[in-house]
Amino acid sequence: MHIAVVMRLVPDISEELDIDESGSDIDREWVGLKVNEFDEFALEEAVILKERFGSRVTAVALAGDGADRLLQSAVARGADEAVRIDHGMDRIVGPAAAAALLISPLRNLGVDLILTGVQTPEDVFGQLAPYLAGSLGWPTVNAVSGISVRDGTVVIQQEYSGGLSALLAVTGPAVLGVQAASQPPRYVSGTKLRQAMSTPIRAEKVDVTPELTIRIDALSLPEKERQAEMIAGNAEQVATRLLDILKEKGLVGR
Amino acid sequence: MHILVHVEIHQNAIAGSSRELVAAARQLAGTEGKISALVAHASPDLFKGQIGGVDETVIINDAALAEYNPEAQLVCLHAAIAASKPDLVLLAYTSAGIDLGPALSAQSTLPLVSYCTKIERSSSGVTAFCQIYGGKLSAKIDLPTPSVVMLTPGAYREDTNDPATLVVNLPAPPALAALKTKVFSVQAPDPNAIDITMSDRLVCVGRGIGGKDNIDQARELATKIGAEIAGSRPVIDAGWLPKERQVGKSGRKVKPRLYLALGVSGAPEHLEGMSGAELIVAINSDPRAPIFDHAHYGAKVDLFDFVEAMTNRLAD
């Protein structure tokens, strides 16, 4: 089985995000990029499949800042090869544009499964895995928390809200949006990561210019449903005050 | 305006988020608009009279629809759209919504937005307000019609309205006979595992807890205040707490009397699972953490210092 894992870099949302002058995007000049954490789970799950069932894993990323490092670290984490897709876009917004660039290289790879993270923090125009699936005419399952192979069939665990989950079987190629790997992503040593920095990356060029049919008109701070009453002071003072509040409400103490 | 709402059903129960879609659709369409609810199921009679507030129920009945199957539901959604050409298709931002919305958009070229928390009419179609960057910002997006909108669960409150009497039966699409996706089994949560929805006090640790070894400190505090320990998704994914203790979209929806969130940023998926708690207290070192917009009390202090101070006071 040949598995492609689509890896993406996304803005680090633990940092402060400022709105740029246009008012419709974040100021990308200073914001840090990090691997989309669900893509890391997708890669881990692909590597687990490789170890259990002998699959081949190809990490795929669209060209852009940090793409080479992203792909090389995927190799350090267990991918067999890395493919960078070169394109002529400055920025790729939304799954339709990403899918337009990814589809022909993914078809050329002849993969049986495409995995990627179930979502990114920028997914307002929809998620990549089901969009790719729709474009390819392949089945899709999202919020996947485990994949295995039984008698040649891919068996997928899908999670729903309320603690409910299901086991689904898919025949033929499919695109899966991974929510969690069967086990937490493994630790990769700095040495291994450094070694991977010399991994050759295969470049595939695509001559497609997806049209943007939809865009963000404005970004703003969200409307606040409520504003917490902030307890000032150091941890000791906060604990004292909070304990009083909890006692008052009958939530602690006798 | 004609709105088609997809009704999500698992184990013969309608998802609460589907009823919220109906409420959003009614606000948008007003009384002059038309709302259709698509029920694609092997036993549609089970849901007769269960979907209030819609003008008609569109039914597709086929044995392949006994349990939720992404491919089967997508086929039915296409059939319902082809039959009635709605101006808007509403889906919930759930696992099923993610399966269906983008695939539908790709195949029909209908524009789509997800993570939507508010939707309004505009001169050219609709305006959607969507959460982005973990809920730290909101994106305003003008959409033409027809289009597809995925609404964040919890953004609208379900209405109690009279169920529709009008039923439109659509023939089962032939593609249902040739599905590549099959449902093996559906599992309910383990009845022997802890059920955090039953606890009236929860101490929930988020990514800020930093590691598995640190959870013991939070657990000690939880024990002292008679609470169960719970975790947000990153904590569960990292294997620091078992799955049954997860709060949020892919975990449990809880409504305790006290919810003490330690190092939880408050991503939309987490808020969906706990925003109904009676008293929410958030401790986080990031002053811009979205959790502070949903908590009753908050403090910007180091969570470990706080846990230690709180535990010491309770020891007295």
Side-chain angles (χ1 to χ4, degrees):
Chain A
M1 190 163 63
H2 187 182
I3 306 169
V5 184
V6 180
M7 305 289 297
R8 295 162 291 180
L9 289 169
V10 295
D12 184 351
I13 60 168
S14 66
E15 290 181 13
E16 211 166 290
L17 300 174
D18 292 316
I19 299 168
D20 74 1
E21 282 175 4
S22 76
S24 59
D25 197 6
I26 51 169
D27 189 344
R28 291 178 188 267
E29 178 108 23
W30 299 106
V31 74
L33 292 176
K34 58 175 281 195
V35 189
N36 183 41
E37 67 167 321
F38 296 104
D39 297 354
E40 292 193 280
F41 297 144
L43 177 65
E44 181 64 33
E45 195 63 18
V47 174
I48 293 171
L49 284 169
K50 170 182 158 176
E51 290 164 349
R52 289 192 190 150
F53 306 102
S55 319
R56 186 165 125 228
V57 178
T58 303
V60 176
L62 291 167
D65 276 350
D68 284 3
R69 265 193 93 108
L70 171 69
L71 286 168
Q72 284 160 338
S73 59
V75 171
R77 289 173 192 281
D80 298 293
E81 56 174 345
V83 175
R84 187 189 66 228
I85 297 165
D86 293 340
H87 54 85
M89 305 284 287
D90 285 340
R91 253 198 84 218
I92 300 150
V93 181
L101 299 173
L102 285 163
I103 275 184
S104 95
L106 286 170
R107 275 195 200 278
N108 294 344
L109 280 173
V111 293
D112 304 290
L113 272 186
I114 300 171
L115 307 188
T116 193
V118 62
Q119 62 182 42
T120 76
E122 300 185 288
D123 275 350
V124 283
F125 299 118
Q127 291 65 39
L128 181 61
Y131 201 98
L132 267 176
S135 309
L136 288 160
W138 294 2
T140 185
V141 182
N142 296 275
V144 169
S145 60
I147 306 168
S148 65
V149 181
R150 279 188 213 164
D151 307 325
T153 305
V154 176
V155 179
I156 301 146
Q157 173 150 342
Q158 180 173 43
E159 298 200 343
Y160 313 109
S161 53
L164 213 59
S165 66
L167 283 181
L168 307 172
V170 180
T171 45
V175 190
L176 308 180
V178 176
Q179 159 95 37
S182 312
Q183 65 191 44
R186 67 200 67 194
Y187 171 76
V188 176
S189 72
T191 323
K192 207 167 172 192
L193 279 172
R194 275 191 298 281
Q195 276 167 3
M197 291 308 144
S198 55
T199 307
I201 293 170
R202 186 147 60 88
E204 291 245 0
K205 192 162 167 36
V206 285
D207 271 321
V208 191
T209 313
E211 242 179 84
L212 288 185
T213 52
I214 198 171
R215 61 191 181 89
I216 293 174
D217 294 293
L219 282 181
S220 61
L221 291 171
E223 274 177 37
K224 291 178 196 266
E225 289 192 14
R226 188 188 284 149
Q227 175 66 58
E229 183 184 327
M230 295 303 283
I231 305 171
N234 60 25
E236 298 286 339
Q237 291 160 319
V238 169
T240 306
R241 169 89 177 96
L242 192 59
L243 212 50
D244 288 344
I245 294 167
L246 297 185
K247 277 181 184 154
E248 204 176 289
K249 296 188 184 285
L251 286 161
V252 292
R254 279 159 273 266
Chain B
M1 180 172 249
H2 175 209
I3 303 177
L4 177 68
V5 169
H6 177 259
V7 178
E8 183 178 338
I9 299 167
H10 299 279
Q11 298 213 306
N12 297 336
I14 294 173
S17 52
S18 296
R19 298 182 199 280
E20 295 170 9
L21 296 181
V22 175
R26 182 54 73 199
Q27 283 185 29
L28 201 60
T31 45
E32 73 281 10
K34 180 176 139 189
I35 303 171
S36 310
L38 170 63
V39 174
H41 199 269
S43 316
D45 286 350
L46 289 174
F47 312 104
K48 216 176 234 171
Q50 280 198 32
I51 306 163
V54 300
D55 297 295
E56 63 177 26
T57 310
V58 178
I59 286 174
I60 299 178
N61 182 351
D62 191 276
L65 300 165
E67 279 298 350
Y68 170 76
N69 175 328
E71 191 184 355
Q73 291 293 322
L74 182 62
V75 164
C76 294
L77 203 48
H78 275 298
I81 292 168
S84 67
K85 308 244 175 338
D87 300 304
L88 198 66
V89 179
L90 284 187
L91 297 158
Y93 186 66
T94 57
S95 305
I98 297 174
D99 286 337
L100 302 174
L104 175 68
S105 171
Q107 291 171 350
S108 62
T109 66
L110 291 173
L112 170 138
V113 295
S114 76
Y115 266 116
C116 178
T117 52
K118 192 170 80 173
I119 181 164
E120 293 171 350
R121 293 284 280 272
S122 74
S123 53
S124 56
V126 293
T127 301
F129 295 86
C130 303
Q131 287 164 316
I132 188 168
Y133 303 117
K136 282 193 161 179
L137 294 173
S138 170
K140 174 174 173 278
I141 298 164
D142 284 323
L143 278 169
T145 48
S147 53
V148 185
V149 172
M150 292 158 71
L151 274 181
T152 301
Y156 283 82
R157 257 177 238 292
E158 53 184 84
D159 281 340
T160 45
N161 278 312
D162 293 339
T165 46
L166 188 61
V167 170
V168 178
N169 285 292
L170 291 183
L176 290 178
L179 298 173
K180 294 172 190 154
T181 312
K182 300 251 180 313
V183 182
F184 272 169
S185 60
V186 181
Q187 295 94 36
D190 179 358
N192 298 316
I194 169 87
D195 183 355
I196 54 169
T197 66
M198 301 302 284
S199 297
D200 75 344
R201 292 158 217 205
L202 286 174
V203 171
C204 182
V205 294
R207 199 192 296 269
I209 197 77
K212 191 170 188 170
D213 297 343
N214 299 333
I215 288 182
D216 285 343
Q217 283 166 262
R219 190 182 280 113
E220 189 188 350
L221 173 59
T223 308
K224 287 229 161 107
I225 58 173
E228 282 294 342
I229 189 105
S232 65
R233 186 198 49 75
V235 169
I236 309 302
D237 285 347
W240 299 341
L241 277 175
K243 179 78 187 166
E244 59 265 23
R245 291 185 184 267
Q246 181 176 353
V247 173
K249 186 187 221 51
S250 48
R252 309 304 298 268
K253 189 170 180 172
V254 298
K255 254 184 142 171
R257 286 178 64 209
L258 170 65
Y259 192 84
L260 176 56
L262 303 174
V264 175
S265 68
E269 291 80 2
H270 186 77
L271 298 170
E272 184 185 324
M274 48 58 79
S275 55
E278 268 178 53
L279 180 69
I280 302 168
V281 179
I283 307 294
N284 202 300
S285 53
D286 176 5
R288 288 170 71 160
I291 189 90
F292 290 132
D293 298 338
H294 298 265
H296 299 90
Y297 292 95
K300 193 192 132 289
V301 290
D302 179 83
L303 82 87
F304 298 104
D305 293 346
F306 167 80
V307 168
E308 191 185 344
M310 194 79 175
T311 310
N312 288 342
R313 273 165 180 71
L314 287 159
D316 299 341

